[in-house]
Amino acid sequence: MTTRLDVRFASCASEGRAALVTFVTAGDPDYDTSLALLKALPEAGADVIELGVPFTDPMADGPAIQAAGLRALKAGQTLRKTLAMVSAFRETNDGTPIVLMGYYNPIYIYGVDRFLKDAKEAGVDGLIVVDLPPEEDNELCLPALLAGLDFIRLATPTTDDKRLPAVLANTAGFVYYVSITGITGAATPKPDVVAQAVARIKRHTALPVAVGFGVKTPEHAAAIAAGADGVVVGSALIDALRATLDADDKATPATIPAVTRLVGALAEAVHGVRRQAAE
């Protein structure tokens, strides 16, 4: 079954460029602002949207995304409201892929079967669940694939050739290469090292490889785009949002424009790089 992710990455590849994958946290700083931002991202240049599901113990996230999750939770964001947000987005946009990124606990509490049904109906295309390793594929990965949702797996600099086949076995949509060891937004990856890592992964899979963690500026995104199928930017967008909030962490008129301006600059940089693999 062809998914929105398959279509979008194939479209970008046919244009000889990488995809810009943008991450925002659902409900940050409030539901209405977050939905308005979600709707604005594709027009600003986002090819794929990762929507973070707020969680009280986000162990893989850096300070920026942790703070975004806490703002969202404080404003009353839930997994149910996150699915409602995707449904509202789909009323005006049927083409842009949306991937939910988060942790297993909220899904487990919601109920796996019910969650997969509701997520599919809402218009979710894929899942990234960072605390479920391949050994636990029966928990969510395999049921998600049966439900028609791509399950996107993370590969890291420490994922060696012996481990890689297990990581890739049931992965669909794309492979998310975590370009640095550690938490999100912590360091800056080296483009040449990343390109070598992507090439190594692609020897094991035909799936697109998107690179994230630590990509902060348009210049940096362009450098990564030269050797990857997609470039993921998250913490930089969250930082841009946070910088516009008032003293009570409420949105201001500057909030959405600040994020979309940065997305526009990132998109121009990423889309302007003609990839050697496609030439």
Side-chain angles (χ1 to χ4, degrees):
M1 188 175 90
T2 303
T3 66
R4 286 189 187 93
L5 283 165
D6 296 331
V7 172
R8 183 53 53 93
F9 274 103
S11 174
C12 292
S14 72
E15 295 173 24
R17 65 172 180 83
L20 174 62
V21 183
T22 56
F23 172 95
V24 292
T25 298
D28 177 31
D30 62 77
Y31 181 92
D32 290 340
T33 303
S34 186
L35 177 57
L37 177 57
L38 190 65
K39 290 181 175 181
L41 288 173
E43 191 174 337
D47 295 300
V48 177
I49 298 170
E50 284 182 11
L51 190 58
V53 179
F55 181 51
T56 52
D57 186 25
M59 58 189 178
D61 297 322
I65 294 176
Q66 283 191 22
L70 290 175
R71 287 192 297 267
L73 291 169
K74 187 178 179 182
Q77 189 69 14
T78 62
L79 181 52
R80 185 189 300 274
K81 285 186 177 181
T82 301
L83 294 177
M85 189 176 287
V86 177
S87 291
F89 174 85
R90 286 285 173 235
E91 291 173 6
T92 56
N93 186 312
D94 191 51
T96 303
I98 289 188
V99 174
L100 295 188
M101 185 170 188
Y103 299 82
Y104 184 47
N105 184 265
I107 295 170
Y108 177 78
I109 292 171
Y110 193 99
V112 169
D113 292 342
R114 179 166 152 253
F115 166 75
L116 293 174
K117 177 177 177 291
D118 291 353
K120 184 67 177 175
E121 288 180 358
V124 173
D125 300 293
L127 306 173
I128 300 174
V129 183
V130 297
D131 55 346
L132 278 183
E135 289 74 18
E136 297 176 30
D137 274 357
N138 288 330
E139 290 284 332
L140 182 63
C141 173
L142 296 179
L145 294 174
L146 286 173
L149 294 167
D150 287 331
F151 199 88
I152 295 122
R153 191 77 71 188
L154 304 180
T156 73
T158 59
T159 308
D160 59 22
D161 286 333
K162 186 177 179 182
R163 175 65 174 169
L164 203 50
V167 170
L168 297 173
N170 294 311
T171 299
F174 65 95
V175 180
Y176 188 141
Y177 179 65
V178 177
S179 58
I180 54 172
T181 53
I183 55 174
T184 58
T188 303
K190 295 180 173 62
D192 56 336
V193 175
V194 168
Q196 291 171 13
V198 170
R200 180 173 69 87
I201 293 169
K202 289 177 87 63
R203 288 196 288 272
H204 293 264
T205 181
L207 289 170
V209 180
V211 176
F213 279 48
V215 182
K216 296 174 182 174
T217 66
E219 296 75 18
H220 193 211
I224 296 296
D229 300 303
V231 180
V232 187
V233 183
S235 295
L237 301 183
I238 301 295
D239 285 339
L241 181 149
R242 180 188 53 78
T244 69
L245 302 181
D246 67 17
D248 297 317
D249 280 341
K250 304 296 185 188
T252 67
T255 299
I256 292 173
V259 180
T260 54
R261 270 197 308 273
L262 179 52
V263 171
L266 289 162
E268 186 177 358
V270 169
H271 296 168
V273 176
R274 287 293 169 250
R275 297 184 54 237
Q276 293 176 343
E279 290 174 355

